[in-house]
Amino acid sequence: MSKTISHDDDTLATLAEAPTSRRAFLRSASLTAVGGALVACGTGSEKNAATTQKAAIPAATPTAATTVAQTGGTMGAHDTAKSASAAVSAAETMDAMHEKGIKAFPAKTAHYGNQPLEPKLVNGVKVFELTATEMKWETAPGQMVSAMAYNGQVPGPQIRVREGDRVRVVLKNQLTQSTAIHFHGLELPVAMDGVPFITQPPVKPGESYTYEFTVPNAGSHMYHSHHNAAVQVGLGLLGAFIVEPKNKSKEPKVDQDVVFILNDGAHGYTFNGKSFPATQPIVAKLGQKIRIRYMNEGMMIHPMHLHGMHQTVIAKDGWDQPAPWKCDTLNIAPGERWDVIVNCNNPGTWAFHCHILPHAESDHGMFGMVTALVVQK
Amino acid sequence: MSKTISHDDDTLATLAEAPTSRRAFLRSASLTAVGGALVACGTGSEKNAATTQKAAIPAATPTAATTVAQTGGTMGAHDTAKSASAAVSAAETMDAMHEKGIKAFPAKTAHYGNQPLEPKLVNGVKVFELTATEMKWETAPGQMVSAMAYNGQVPGPQIRVREGDRVRVVLKNQLTQSTAIHFHGLELPVAMDGVPFITQPPVKPGESYTYEFTVPNAGSHMYHSHHNAAVQVGLGLLGAFIVEPKNKSKEPKVDQDVVFILNDGAHGYTFNGKSFPATQPIVAKLGQKIRIRYMNEGMMIHPMHLHGMHQTVIAKDGWDQPAPWKCDTLNIAPGERWDVIVNCNNPGTWAFHCHILPHAESDHGMFGMVTALVVQK
Amino acid sequence: MSKTISHDDDTLATLAEAPTSRRAFLRSASLTAVGGALVACGTGSEKNAATTQKAAIPAATPTAATTVAQTGGTMGAHDTAKSASAAVSAAETMDAMHEKGIKAFPAKTAHYGNQPLEPKLVNGVKVFELTATEMKWETAPGQMVSAMAYNGQVPGPQIRVREGDRVRVVLKNQLTQSTAIHFHGLELPVAMDGVPFITQPPVKPGESYTYEFTVPNAGSHMYHSHHNAAVQVGLGLLGAFIVEPKNKSKEPKVDQDVVFILNDGAHGYTFNGKSFPATQPIVAKLGQKIRIRYMNEGMMIHPMHLHGMHQTVIAKDGWDQPAPWKCDTLNIAPGERWDVIVNCNNPGTWAFHCHILPHAESDHGMFGMVTALVVQK
């Protein structure tokens, strides 16, 4: 999630079908692996492979029978077969929609959010510029939504600093509304808290505003609008503010550090600003350890379920838990951040989704809050 | 919840009224106890019994007075009395509906889900057969809903195995849609993960599909459809998959092990596929220790509140918590499992319900997510 | 929250504008401080003060440009400027609504709930009288809602007793409906559990009913109706029942003990029965330690986010957590109670709100579940 996988016109499905093309060959191993995983579908990678047996279609499932009966027709064996075959045909249509979505994953869309933002160093101060604008955002192929964005990104650029750093954030408001930035989770002096009419005046359209502070506490934090926020945060004025601790000796050693921002407002159900199949997979090598920093910027809970491996919860809102604990489904409430470690010890392409199922799947297939963790052998 | 209490035509209320009938006499002690508890209503089982005093009806509650005033009538003392007496009559009507529901508990309905499924042993492999069909399901007396069921049960049959067991699950699809089974919480090889188009092809109507694996991790897990799942799980394609640990020395010793599956889809608010008053009580002897395995297969949180005794939380998603902790209201999110211990040290019939009150009660009385823990002296 | 701040006609805004009036001078320091914090807006209380730069309005934000283009007009520099200036004017209007709400805080309303209720001592028994009536309740200035209240308060009066106390609660029902009281969290004998038709008859309009028991377990508990409860609790029949432990040596020593009851029914989103700007701030001195007892009597989760300082979670439902843990956003589910400690070590006026943003802010400004923690230097 922290890195954007570059891709041209091909989807993973295309890659899987033409693995020897030069373009595919030059592609990163991670993508090939995802393609490989898809190719593996149904071939059985375990010793005791799954087996599918084509059986006769059910002679008369209650539903099919009822349907025929209700249409008033005389129901003979032939009619039943026709009815059952209609059911299979409906099933095929549904399956085709599901397959199409998964084959499109990870689908290419214009622009990616949550990209690392390098500060300018000015007299020892790390200076970040955030320009808020209104724009169109593509959450899934062809799905254009109205957005408010920092630096043209939804979520806004990822800020990473160190405990004790001196930081300046220059907000330029090019919106048609006033705005302000609240640094959610940072224990700042009150003048830097970003709440219009309580700690500062609103930053009006065309104005800029400068926040400056010494970073007080480590952990997974966020920045977002605190003015007309139900609207502005829903439209994209939000981002990750990660603070690395001064003393890194107690930090878990990980191979990847992934920011995973959940939202559910006007843009639909999104991970880092994208909906399935445009969400980005996390790609890891077998044996790697990854840290995931969940952040909920939405209005609903999202219990995040990872298939195949458990999650070890280490921190809440940037504060270590008294002892790590394990789960496979972690409930993330609005405003919360949870840090987890995943030991990538189970190879394959693993579904990774919100377990409120209507946030992840309809009869037209998967959508919204679905991605994958790909563990490559 | 793990066992179905058999009953014929009688409800508990009937039992309570005719405790000496032969039928009632042969009935299990637990039912008698429930009936007994109901009979005890208002008789005061504590030393300092509650006392009710009939007082004059309120001369003119603001609402009653306002109502009369608003109808434009001249309001004298007589009118007020009439109005208040109308209020009492409305109250009596409401109370009668509440009483009727509670007297009907536990109401008899056709078929019960979550019944233990005995495996066939084939060359050391525990073989479970699950046949998915479409059918009608009775959630409460006379409340028939369209369902999808494994082996005619909602929830599907309860599977219990041991860590390290070799297990085969044969899925027969007699639905009009494709399907697949995901073993939620089990850390299986990816080919057994049950996600169509990612780890296997969909199992089409009329087909069967075989999953086979060595059970990798202990705990309270689930199996359910992972295809068109928002619909199929909502309609009943779900069940408990309990894995007992190889090393049982660390397991809490309990007198009962109860599976408690929550759902809130097309079937309404249900515990193990039934709505109050058709939910099944948990019946324990004073001093017994019970383990409850909550599993949320719905789309909403359900904070489960037990009256009279606290719950000690020991595991989340099949993994021990670092230390047990106590509560009386445990919030269960979709996809989560929580294991708790209840020491049944407080005799009586205790309400046990979701504390989102509109999931449990309306002005017509209790419904949906309500049951009782009966602790017998 | 546990104490009501008295105020006459003035709002904090007025106070801030006329700090030398005799009335203001006599007012409590806490209010002056709140006013002071508001006055400080935009003046920059940190060494490196925030700076606002008036810049030219954006030449053409995408939205503004698009709007003009879509109206079909020929877009010159002048048109753009007009459009942008219209945007600024709309922004000013929105900001004025936001400012008005904040300046009104804490707004005066009729009656406050959650007031300490002193028991009568009768032969060593602490006797509390609760009279349930129907009335109008003011949640915010001019916002009158239909309510059911104990002793004319929403929430009902705060009951505080000690573990082992003998307590009598006399309920007088002056409603037009039957009712009953459940002591949520207390492990009472079943006859005192307050569930009509299971543990007692309903208490009909005009009747009274007496509960009496020895207080069994310490902690932050609640009392509320358990009859037609989705309606009656939503309308206000609820209150805090705090039990201090016999052995106080393990209790954290705090300077304030604040009860914070959340509700979200027919009265809208409320803290202790009031909606912003009529919610009451918590006012503390720098260096003080406060204990907050959250209680959710609503139907939805509310993740409570405090700005500027973290919350240390010590207890759940009246039971100590195995170890304290820290957060800034604590998710409170219906029926749950959570106790936290806040070390007031960061001076200023801090927003304190539910982080489901539509529970706290609209484009008309803050409302509902918003208050402030004021830390005075």
Side-chain angles (χ1 to χ4, degrees):
Chain A
M1 291 279 153
S2 59
K3 292 172 204 158
T4 300
I5 294 173
S6 68
H7 35 167
D8 302 326
D9 298 312
D10 315 48
T11 62
L12 281 178
T14 316
L15 284 173
E17 285 159 13
T20 54
S21 81
R22 183 173 148 67
R23 213 189 228 164
F25 184 78
L26 294 176
R27 211 164 285 282
S28 78
S30 65
L31 280 172
T32 312
V34 179
L38 285 170
V39 173
C41 273
T43 61
S45 65
E46 218 214 349
K47 271 187 243 169
N48 297 275
T51 54
T52 309
Q53 297 174 334
K54 297 272 171 192
I57 48 171
T61 64
T63 298
T66 306
T67 307
V68 170
Q70 281 169 350
T71 59
T74 312
M75 190 171 74
H78 187 236
D79 290 327
T80 308
K82 267 210 294 196
S83 165
S85 123
V88 170
S89 163
E92 298 279 7
T93 304
M94 186 192 285
D95 295 354
M97 289 188 289
H98 278 70
E99 185 173 20
K100 193 180 162 194
I102 288 172
K103 285 221 166 141
F105 174 79
K108 186 185 166 180
T109 47
H111 311 303
Y112 290 88
N114 190 35
Q115 303 300 307
L117 179 60
E118 286 308 313
K120 285 180 214 159
L121 207 65
V122 180
N123 297 330
V125 179
K126 290 184 175 172
V127 180
F128 298 90
E129 292 201 355
L130 294 175
T131 303
T133 60
E134 293 165 15
M135 64 183 294
K136 290 290 173 188
W137 184 255
E138 192 176 23
T139 58
Q143 229 171 317
M144 302 303 297
V145 295
S146 292
M148 291 183 175
Y150 294 120
N151 300 4
Q153 297 179 34
V154 178
Q158 189 184 117
I159 294 177
R160 276 192 188 249
V161 295
R162 202 156 158 267
E163 204 183 342
D165 277 355
R166 189 72 187 172
V167 165
R168 189 179 302 148
V169 176
V170 182
L171 166 64
K172 295 186 178 172
N173 181 7
Q174 296 185 0
L175 307 168
T176 56
Q177 304 184 355
S178 297
T179 193
I181 295 180
H182 169 57
F183 299 90
H184 179 114
L186 293 181
E187 307 193 344
L188 300 178
V190 75
M192 299 295 122
D193 196 45
V195 184
F197 301 114
I198 296 184
T199 70
Q200 67 166 76
V203 185
K204 296 192 180 300
E207 291 183 0
S208 65
Y209 195 86
T210 301
Y211 300 89
E212 188 171 326
F213 49 81
T214 300
V215 177
N217 53 315
S220 298
H221 304 301
M222 309 191 288
Y223 65 95
H224 54 223
S225 167
H226 211 289
H227 187 66
N228 193 22
V231 170
Q232 293 189 0
V233 175
L235 288 175
L237 291 185
L238 61 100
F241 197 107
I242 313 289
V243 182
E244 280 160 15
K246 247 181 198 165
N247 176 0
K248 296 195 79 167
S249 69
K250 284 186 180 173
E251 285 279 285
K253 277 165 197 51
V254 296
D255 300 293
Q256 282 187 60
D257 185 319
V258 177
V259 170
F260 203 128
I261 301 178
L262 316 168
N263 211 344
D264 52 36
H267 294 177
Y269 300 112
T270 58
F271 291 159
N272 289 341
K274 301 290 174 179
S275 290
F276 187 87
T279 47
Q280 297 292 297
I282 301 170
V283 181
K285 299 266 178 213
L286 186 61
Q288 282 191 338
K289 216 169 158 177
I290 64 175
R291 175 182 193 149
I292 298 173
R293 302 174 188 260
Y294 294 110
M295 305 182 173
N296 188 338
E297 285 280 18
M299 309 176 279
M300 306 171 188
I301 57 152
H302 299 291
M304 288 298 307
H305 176 51
L306 173 62
H307 288 218
M309 287 151 288
H310 56 271
Q311 313 182 49
T312 302
V313 181
I314 57 168
K316 162 93 173 84
D317 297 349
W319 301 98
D320 285 353
Q321 286 274 283
W325 51 278
K326 295 174 186 175
C327 66
D328 56 59
T329 306
L330 183 63
N331 189 26
I332 325 277
E336 290 189 332
R337 291 89 61 211
W338 287 95
D339 287 27
V340 305
I341 301 289
V342 177
N343 288 312
C344 298
N345 58 10
N346 202 355
T349 296
W350 300 99
F352 191 7
H353 59 95
C354 173
H355 211 281
I356 297 183
L357 300 179
H359 296 185
E361 198 181 22
S362 78
D363 56 2
H364 282 54
M366 291 182 183
F367 76 99
M369 291 185 153
V370 179
T371 187
L373 168 58
V374 182
V375 179
Q376 307 175 319
K377 262 185 200 160
Chain B
M1 291 275 155
S2 59
K3 292 173 206 158
T4 299
I5 294 171
S6 69
H7 36 166
D8 304 325
D9 298 312
D10 314 49
T11 62
L12 281 178
T14 315
L15 284 172
E17 284 157 13
T20 54
S21 80
R22 182 172 150 69
R23 215 189 227 165
F25 184 78
L26 293 177
R27 212 165 286 281
S28 77
S30 64
L31 278 173
T32 313
V34 178
L38 285 169
V39 173
C41 276
T43 61
S45 64
E46 218 213 348
K47 271 187 245 170
N48 297 276
T51 53
T52 307
Q53 297 173 334
K54 297 269 172 195
I57 47 170
T61 63
T63 298
T66 305
T67 308
V68 171
Q70 280 169 352
T71 59
T74 310
M75 190 171 75
H78 187 237
D79 290 327
T80 308
K82 266 210 293 196
S83 166
S85 123
V88 171
S89 163
E92 298 279 7
T93 305
M94 188 193 285
D95 295 354
M97 290 188 288
H98 279 69
E99 184 172 19
K100 194 181 164 195
I102 288 172
K103 286 221 166 140
F105 174 80
K108 185 185 165 181
T109 47
H111 310 302
Y112 289 88
N114 190 35
Q115 302 301 308
L117 180 59
E118 286 307 312
K120 287 180 213 159
L121 208 63
V122 181
N123 297 328
V125 179
K126 290 183 176 172
V127 180
F128 298 90
E129 292 201 356
L130 294 174
T131 302
T133 60
E134 293 164 15
M135 64 183 293
K136 292 289 174 190
W137 184 255
E138 192 177 23
T139 57
Q143 228 171 320
M144 302 302 297
V145 296
S146 292
M148 293 183 174
Y150 295 120
N151 299 3
Q153 296 179 35
V154 178
Q158 189 183 116
I159 295 178
R160 276 191 187 249
V161 296
R162 201 158 158 267
E163 204 184 341
D165 277 355
R166 190 72 186 170
V167 165
R168 189 178 303 148
V169 176
V170 182
L171 166 65
K172 294 186 179 172
N173 181 5
Q174 294 184 3
L175 307 168
T176 55
Q177 304 184 355
S178 297
T179 193
I181 295 180
H182 169 58
F183 300 89
H184 180 114
L186 293 181
E187 306 194 343
L188 300 177
V190 74
M192 299 297 122
D193 195 45
V195 185
F197 302 115
I198 296 183
T199 71
Q200 67 165 77
V203 185
K204 295 191 182 300
E207 289 184 1
S208 66
Y209 195 86
T210 302
Y211 299 89
E212 187 171 326
F213 48 82
T214 301
V215 176
N217 53 313
S220 298
H221 304 300
M222 311 191 287
Y223 65 95
H224 54 223
S225 167
H226 211 288
H227 188 66
N228 194 23
V231 170
Q232 293 189 0
V233 175
L235 288 174
L237 291 184
L238 61 99
F241 197 107
I242 312 289
V243 182
E244 279 159 16
K246 248 182 197 164
N247 176 0
K248 295 193 81 168
S249 69
K250 286 187 180 171
E251 285 279 283
K253 278 165 197 50
V254 295
D255 301 291
Q256 282 188 61
D257 186 319
V258 177
V259 169
F260 202 129
I261 302 179
L262 316 168
N263 212 344
D264 51 37
H267 294 176
Y269 300 112
T270 58
F271 291 158
N272 290 340
K274 301 289 175 182
S275 290
F276 187 88
T279 47
Q280 297 292 297
I282 303 170
V283 181
K285 299 264 179 216
L286 186 61
Q288 281 192 338
K289 215 168 158 179
I290 63 174
R291 176 183 193 148
I292 299 173
R293 302 174 188 261
Y294 294 110
M295 305 183 172
N296 188 337
E297 285 280 18
M299 308 176 279
M300 304 171 190
I301 57 153
H302 299 292
M304 289 297 306
H305 176 52
L306 173 62
H307 287 216
M309 287 151 286
H310 56 271
Q311 314 182 47
T312 301
V313 181
I314 57 169
K316 160 92 174 84
D317 298 349
W319 301 98
D320 286 352
Q321 287 274 283
W325 51 277
K326 295 174 185 174
C327 66
D328 56 60
T329 306
L330 183 63
N331 189 27
I332 324 278
E336 289 189 330
R337 290 89 64 210
W338 287 96
D339 286 27
V340 305
I341 301 290
V342 176
N343 288 313
C344 299
N345 57 11
N346 202 356
T349 296
W350 299 100
F352 192 5
H353 59 94
C354 173
H355 211 281
I356 296 182
L357 300 178
H359 297 186
E361 198 181 21
S362 78
D363 54 3
H364 283 52
M366 290 184 183
F367 75 100
M369 292 184 152
V370 178
T371 186
L373 168 58
V374 182
V375 180
Q376 308 177 317
K377 265 186 201 162
Chain C
M1 291 278 154
S2 58
K3 293 172 205 159
T4 300
I5 294 173
S6 68
H7 36 168
D8 303 325
D9 298 312
D10 315 49
T11 62
L12 280 179
T14 315
L15 284 173
E17 285 158 13
T20 55
S21 80
R22 183 174 148 69
R23 210 189 229 163
F25 185 79
L26 292 175
R27 209 166 286 283
S28 78
S30 65
L31 279 173
T32 313
V34 180
L38 285 170
V39 173
C41 274
T43 61
S45 65
E46 218 213 349
K47 270 188 243 168
N48 297 274
T51 54
T52 309
Q53 298 175 333
K54 296 270 173 196
I57 48 170
T61 63
T63 298
T66 307
T67 308
V68 172
Q70 279 169 354
T71 58
T74 310
M75 190 172 73
H78 186 239
D79 291 327
T80 309
K82 269 209 290 197
S83 166
S85 122
V88 171
S89 163
E92 298 279 7
T93 305
M94 187 192 285
D95 295 354
M97 290 188 289
H98 279 69
E99 186 173 18
K100 194 181 162 194
I102 288 172
K103 285 220 166 142
F105 174 79
K108 186 184 166 182
T109 47
H111 310 302
Y112 290 88
N114 190 37
Q115 302 301 308
L117 180 59
E118 287 308 313
K120 286 180 215 161
L121 208 64
V122 180
N123 297 329
V125 180
K126 291 184 176 172
V127 180
F128 298 90
E129 292 202 356
L130 295 174
T131 302
T133 60
E134 294 164 15
M135 63 183 294
K136 293 289 174 189
W137 184 254
E138 191 177 24
T139 59
Q143 229 170 318
M144 303 302 297
V145 296
S146 293
M148 293 183 173
Y150 293 119
N151 299 4
Q153 297 179 33
V154 178
Q158 191 183 115
I159 295 178
R160 277 191 186 249
V161 295
R162 199 153 160 268
E163 205 183 340
D165 277 354
R166 189 71 187 173
V167 164
R168 189 178 303 148
V169 176
V170 182
L171 166 65
K172 296 187 178 174
N173 181 6
Q174 295 185 0
L175 307 168
T176 56
Q177 305 185 355
S178 297
T179 193
I181 294 179
H182 169 57
F183 299 89
H184 179 114
L186 293 182
E187 307 194 344
L188 299 177
V190 73
M192 298 297 123
D193 195 44
V195 185
F197 302 113
I198 296 185
T199 70
Q200 67 167 75
V203 185
K204 296 194 183 299
E207 289 183 3
S208 65
Y209 195 86
T210 301
Y211 300 90
E212 187 171 325
F213 48 81
T214 300
V215 177
N217 53 312
S220 299
H221 304 301
M222 309 189 289
Y223 66 94
H224 54 223
S225 167
H226 211 289
H227 188 66
N228 193 22
V231 170
Q232 293 189 1
V233 175
L235 288 175
L237 290 184
L238 60 101
F241 197 106
I242 312 289
V243 182
E244 278 159 18
K246 246 183 199 163
N247 175 0
K248 294 195 81 168
S249 69
K250 283 187 180 172
E251 285 278 284
K253 277 164 197 51
V254 295
D255 301 292
Q256 282 188 60
D257 186 318
V258 178
V259 169
F260 203 129
I261 302 179
L262 316 168
N263 212 344
D264 52 37
H267 294 178
Y269 300 112
T270 57
F271 291 157
N272 289 342
K274 301 291 175 179
S275 290
F276 186 87
T279 48
Q280 296 294 297
I282 302 170
V283 181
K285 300 264 178 213
L286 185 62
Q288 281 192 338
K289 219 168 157 180
I290 64 175
R291 176 184 192 147
I292 298 172
R293 302 175 187 259
Y294 294 111
M295 307 184 171
N296 188 338
E297 285 281 18
M299 309 176 281
M300 306 171 189
I301 58 153
H302 299 291
M304 288 298 306
H305 176 51
L306 173 62
H307 288 217
M309 286 151 288
H310 56 271
Q311 313 182 48
T312 301
V313 181
I314 57 168
K316 161 92 173 85
D317 297 350
W319 301 98
D320 285 351
Q321 287 273 283
W325 51 278
K326 295 175 186 176
C327 67
D328 55 60
T329 307
L330 184 63
N331 189 26
I332 324 280
E336 290 189 330
R337 288 89 63 212
W338 287 95
D339 286 26
V340 305
I341 301 289
V342 176
N343 287 313
C344 298
N345 58 10
N346 202 355
T349 296
W350 300 99
F352 192 7
H353 59 94
C354 173
H355 212 281
I356 297 182
L357 299 181
H359 296 185
E361 197 182 22
S362 78
D363 55 3
H364 283 52
M366 291 184 183
F367 75 101
M369 292 185 152
V370 178
T371 187
L373 169 58
V374 181
V375 180
Q376 307 176 317
K377 262 186 204 165

PDB file of all heavy atoms in Angstrom, chain B residues 83 207 227 237:
ATOM      1  N   SER B  83     -58.695  10.455  30.313  1.00  0.00           N
ATOM      2  CA  SER B  83     -57.470  10.414  29.527  1.00  0.00           C
ATOM      3  C   SER B  83     -56.451   9.493  30.178  1.00  0.00           C
ATOM      4  O   SER B  83     -55.840   8.661  29.522  1.00  0.00           O
ATOM      5  CB  SER B  83     -56.902  11.833  29.410  1.00  0.00           C
ATOM      6  OG  SER B  83     -55.589  11.781  28.953  1.00  0.00           O
ATOM      7  N   GLU B 207     -22.582 -29.330  -9.175  1.00  0.00           N
ATOM      8  CA  GLU B 207     -21.237 -29.861  -8.984  1.00  0.00           C
ATOM      9  C   GLU B 207     -20.964 -30.152  -7.506  1.00  0.00           C
ATOM     10  O   GLU B 207     -21.654 -29.666  -6.617  1.00  0.00           O
ATOM     11  CB  GLU B 207     -20.196 -28.854  -9.469  1.00  0.00           C
ATOM     12  CG  GLU B 207     -20.150 -28.685 -10.979  1.00  0.00           C
ATOM     13  CD  GLU B 207     -19.040 -27.748 -11.438  1.00  0.00           C
ATOM     14  OE1 GLU B 207     -18.294 -27.247 -10.566  1.00  0.00           O
ATOM     15  OE2 GLU B 207     -18.932 -27.522 -12.648  1.00  0.00           O
ATOM     16  N   HIS B 227     -18.636 -16.759  -2.025  1.00  0.00           N
ATOM     17  CA  HIS B 227     -19.057 -16.408  -3.391  1.00  0.00           C
ATOM     18  C   HIS B 227     -20.444 -15.795  -3.286  1.00  0.00           C
ATOM     19  O   HIS B 227     -21.334 -16.407  -2.695  1.00  0.00           O
ATOM     20  CB  HIS B 227     -19.087 -17.661  -4.275  1.00  0.00           C
ATOM     21  CG  HIS B 227     -19.329 -17.347  -5.731  1.00  0.00           C
ATOM     22  ND1 HIS B 227     -18.425 -16.651  -6.501  1.00  0.00           N
ATOM     23  CD2 HIS B 227     -20.364 -17.639  -6.556  1.00  0.00           C
ATOM     24  CE1 HIS B 227     -18.891 -16.534  -7.751  1.00  0.00           C
ATOM     25  NE2 HIS B 227     -20.065 -17.125  -7.801  1.00  0.00           N
ATOM     26  N   LEU B 237     -25.599 -19.744   4.580  1.00  0.00           N
ATOM     27  CA  LEU B 237     -24.476 -20.644   4.263  1.00  0.00           C
ATOM     28  C   LEU B 237     -23.284 -20.340   5.163  1.00  0.00           C
ATOM     29  O   LEU B 237     -22.292 -19.729   4.746  1.00  0.00           O
ATOM     30  CB  LEU B 237     -24.109 -20.531   2.785  1.00  0.00           C
ATOM     31  CG  LEU B 237     -25.162 -21.102   1.819  1.00  0.00           C
ATOM     32  CD1 LEU B 237     -24.668 -21.031   0.385  1.00  0.00           C
ATOM     33  CD2 LEU B 237     -25.519 -22.552   2.171  1.00  0.00           C
TER      34      LEU B 237
END
